[in-house]
Amino acid sequence: MTSSGPVDPTTTSAWAELARLAEAFRPDLRGALTPAWVGDQSLEAAELHVDLSKNLFDADVEAALLRLAEEVDLAGRREAMFAGEHINVTEDRAVLHTALRLPRGASLTVDGQDVVADVHEVLDRVYAFAERVRSGDWTGVTGKRIETVVNIGIGGSDLGPVMAYEALEPYRQDGLTCRFISNIDPTDAGQKLSGLDPETTLFIVSSKTFGTLETLTNARLCKAWLLEHLPSGTDEKAAVAQHFVAVSTALDKVADFGIDPANAFGFWDWVGGRYSMDSAIGLSLVVAIGPEHFAELLAGFHAMDEHFRTAPAESNVPLKMGLLNVWYTNFLGAHTHAVLPYAQLLHRFPAYLQQLTMESNGKSVRWDGAAVGYDTGEVFWGEPGTNGQHAFYQLIHQGTRIIPADFIAFATPSYGLRDGDTDVHELFLANFFAQTKALAFGKTADEVRAEGVAEDLVAARTFPGNRPTTSIMAPALTPGVLGQLIALYEHITFVEGAVWGIDSFDQWGVELGKQLAQQLGPAVSGDADVLAQQDPSTQSLISYYQEHRA
Ligand code: F6P
């Protein structure tokens, strides 16, 4: 970084060196995986054990990547983030999700404000409120205990809480269930409200801006549903006060909606939506798993923050994983990146990562406005193993494209079940180990022939190997480990953005569609003049809708 703008990474000597290395690079994981290499590339970050050895790189590539990090002053940008400098340049904001997990009493003053004290003041309120709901002290307006919490939010105000609610299922309190309404498709609210008892339902309206169309529409739908279904004669104001709370940075708008400001939980503009699940946005999760477990989750985040901030470059896991992603994207031609948790409870983790990584790094200009002259932003995607093995792994094994894949597994299962003498978790893990082995080493034509396969089928049954994977393991899927995993990917995302010189913390690309949806609303509802102003394709599609709506 310079005072005038980010370094164009392509002008660094490391970039030129990487280009040269890429040209001559002939991956050979069969030959490369010596005990020494595996030892060097098996790293510990908090409780995570990360094996990078099956990636397509060698010591020269690694040295050049680390030099690239130096030449773009990645460490300087990292310190600027942790210190609360306004590294979100296009919105002139600090980027301080790491402050959300600083321990009580830590010291960090940003823009004249003691942010640690602020964070813990809100956390204390969140915890106290959650305890009231969990203990039955907080009731609905008719005096009944809350049994269902419905979080209404979208994007960062939904994906994190849902993902963690699913991931930490064994930590949930019996008798309390969460549901999540995000989509403006009325089917979402329709399905999620179905079967609920309004007297025992609490709604949390979660929106950083409190201006998001989907969330406010769903909040109004839920309010109408509540008032319609509570016993007749129930005082409406009291009902909303007991059944609606809010999480937002815009507390004035919360009051306008009719929610008692005493039941609103704030956060700050220096928390990006996709980095907010460890702020009050996690309220539904705190109610579900309790303050103690949420505190463990925060401690997990913090442990990874400390690792990222202080571990030497050679053993710094987020740094090395982020740099490898740059290598794959800019030098080996990868477009996508698979995340494959061998843990059913992480089934929403890839979806969560999609917002984190793609809203952050899907940018074509650097943070000083200059166009990038290189690719940015991998497409992240994935599904839990072993389901994916029976769906899309074919393409990872034998397709024509390189798809770096992160495999995630836990030594101890969330549910330990046996099939007679067989520990089913061991069967499951055998698949986890087998897949990265198959991807790395493949199967040669000679090996296929040696199995007696007819010559005309040898090519189809050959596996090229040299398909890059990272294996991430941890003792168990605990709240702390989940926090470490999320923070790991936050920092990987940061590293990629820092190398590319982009602002990973704005999201201007979501605005145009929102504006156009507002403009098109009247046309969809039948305003012929507005319809006539649209392009022919849009006119034709809206007309189709109008003709076919039942
Ligand atoms: O439209 C994108 C976005 O702004 C995300 O960045 C954000 O997480 C989501 O919408 C929801 O925003 P809010 O929390 O303000 O309702």
Side-chain angles (χ1 to χ4, degrees):
M1 185 169 58
T2 68
S3 55
S4 57
V7 172
D8 175 346
T10 63
T11 63
T12 61
S13 66
W15 191 278
E17 171 71 356
L18 286 163
R20 196 184 63 74
L21 290 169
E23 214 166 308
F25 194 66
R26 302 285 172 270
D28 171 26
L29 286 177
R30 286 189 179 215
L33 259 79
T34 61
W37 176 252
V38 174
D40 284 353
Q41 300 304 336
S42 294
L43 307 175
E44 311 298 322
E47 290 168 271
L48 305 188
H49 173 80
V50 181
D51 179 356
L52 298 177
S53 68
K54 294 196 194 84
N55 281 283
L56 304 185
F57 73 131
D58 58 19
D60 291 342
V61 172
E62 173 167 48
L65 285 170
L66 293 177
R67 198 150 54 75
L68 177 63
E70 279 170 24
E71 289 187 79
V72 299
D73 190 22
L74 199 141
R77 194 150 174 84
R78 180 178 58 195
E79 269 324 288
M81 174 175 74
F82 277 100
E85 286 180 34
H86 286 208
I87 66 164
N88 178 352
V89 175
T90 68
E91 294 180 312
D92 192 16
R93 288 177 184 165
V95 174
L96 269 178
H97 43 280
T98 52
L100 296 170
R101 46 265 193 159
L102 280 173
R104 196 183 296 277
S107 144
L108 181 62
T109 302
V110 173
D111 301 333
Q113 196 60 25
D114 179 348
V115 295
V116 185
D118 290 351
V119 163
H120 282 272
E121 195 251 327
V122 175
L123 256 186
D124 287 343
R125 289 187 57 232
V126 164
Y127 287 172
F129 179 78
E131 285 295 19
R132 288 191 68 192
V133 175
R134 288 164 64 82
S135 68
D137 179 44
W138 180 280
T139 64
V141 67
T142 58
K144 289 194 182 166
R145 188 181 179 124
I146 298 299
E147 291 172 0
T148 309
V149 173
V150 178
N151 185 75
I152 307 169
I154 196 164
S157 300
D158 167 72
L159 289 162
V162 184
M163 177 273 290
Y165 177 75
E166 294 294 314
L168 299 177
E169 191 223 84
Y171 296 86
R172 294 183 206 154
Q173 174 168 303
D174 286 344
L176 254 178
T177 311
C178 292
R179 295 187 184 186
F180 298 85
I181 299 177
S182 55
N183 201 334
I184 199 169
D185 179 345
T187 308
D188 199 12
Q191 285 183 326
K192 304 288 170 52
L193 292 174
S194 166
L196 287 188
D197 176 355
E199 293 180 69
T200 61
T201 300
L202 174 73
F203 294 96
I204 302 175
V205 186
S206 298
S207 175
K208 178 175 169 180
T209 56
F210 226 77
T212 302
L213 178 72
E214 289 88 339
T215 300
L216 294 189
T217 304
N218 280 323
R220 281 193 301 272
L221 277 180
C222 291
K223 188 157 122 185
W225 173 88
L226 178 85
L227 298 178
E228 191 187 324
H229 290 87
L230 280 171
S232 61
T234 308
D235 179 79
E236 291 199 357
K237 204 162 170 237
V240 173
Q242 283 306 113
H243 291 268
F244 272 85
V245 300
V247 182
S248 186
T249 58
L251 297 178
D252 48 332
K253 295 189 188 159
V254 169
D256 293 347
F257 183 83
I259 295 175
D260 185 346
N263 300 332
F265 302 89
F267 58 114
W268 307 271
D269 71 359
W270 42 258
V271 183
R274 53 194 174 273
Y275 297 88
S276 67
M277 63 161 288
D278 46 346
S279 71
I281 287 290
L283 179 58
S284 54
L285 182 66
V286 186
V287 173
I289 67 170
E292 217 173 285
H293 291 133
F294 193 79
E296 287 167 26
L297 177 87
L298 294 182
F301 274 97
H302 180 61
M304 186 57 68
D305 295 342
E306 287 297 288
H307 170 86
F308 179 48
R309 194 176 190 175
T310 62
E314 294 71 22
S315 53
N316 192 309
V317 175
L319 176 66
K320 288 182 72 170
M321 287 181 72
L323 290 172
L324 278 170
N325 291 352
V326 169
W327 166 242
Y328 290 129
T329 302
N330 298 115
F331 299 94
L332 298 191
H335 289 186
T336 81
H337 193 118
V339 179
L340 309 167
Y342 278 64
Q344 185 57 31
L345 294 184
L346 282 181
H347 70 110
R348 293 293 289 164
F349 193 56
Y352 171 78
L353 288 186
Q354 288 188 323
Q355 187 199 13
L356 173 65
T357 59
M358 290 157 73
E359 205 171 67
S360 294
N361 285 342
K363 312 284 163 67
S364 317
V365 294
R366 290 201 290 275
W367 52 259
D368 60 353
V372 299
Y374 40 86
D375 283 332
T376 67
E378 303 155 279
V379 176
F380 271 75
W381 58 282
E383 278 288 325
T386 59
N387 293 5
Q389 291 176 203
H390 301 274
F392 52 78
Y393 277 38
Q394 165 68 38
L395 186 142
I396 308 180
H397 281 285
Q398 286 188 318
T400 55
R401 294 189 172 91
I402 175 178
I403 303 176
D406 298 346
F407 282 71
I408 303 170
F410 303 96
T412 306
S414 298
Y415 286 87
L417 297 177
R418 303 189 76 85
D419 171 18
D421 285 343
T422 311
D423 178 335
V424 178
H425 187 61
E426 293 187 347
L427 268 185
F428 183 43
L429 285 189
N431 277 273
F432 167 81
F433 297 122
Q435 288 297 327
T436 60
K437 192 174 157 81
L439 287 164
F441 305 131
K443 193 191 271 187
T444 65
D446 284 345
E447 286 166 346
V448 175
R449 278 188 201 102
E451 288 175 352
V453 172
E455 194 56 33
D456 57 343
L457 291 180
V458 167
R461 298 184 62 166
T462 298
F463 289 73
N466 292 318
R467 309 271 154 150
T469 62
T470 294
S471 297
I472 302 172
M473 298 194 71
L477 181 51
T478 60
V481 163
L482 182 65
Q484 292 162 31
L485 263 180
I486 300 166
L488 169 64
Y489 281 92
E490 287 179 348
H491 297 320
I492 290 170
T493 303
F494 173 89
V495 168
E496 293 177 60
V499 171
W500 290 325
I502 57 181
D503 185 339
S504 298
F505 304 100
D506 63 14
Q507 57 284 318
W508 298 107
V510 302
E511 294 303 323
L512 179 59
K514 290 184 192 175
Q515 280 171 9
L516 292 181
Q518 289 219 331
Q519 286 171 20
L520 288 172
V524 178
S525 305
D527 185 324
D529 291 339
V530 179
L531 184 62
Q533 291 159 20
Q534 308 308 320
D535 65 274
S537 169
T538 306
Q539 280 191 40
S540 153
L541 290 166
I542 292 175
S543 301
Y544 177 90
Y545 157 71
Q546 286 165 346
E547 284 157 26
H548 289 83
R549 163 105 191 214

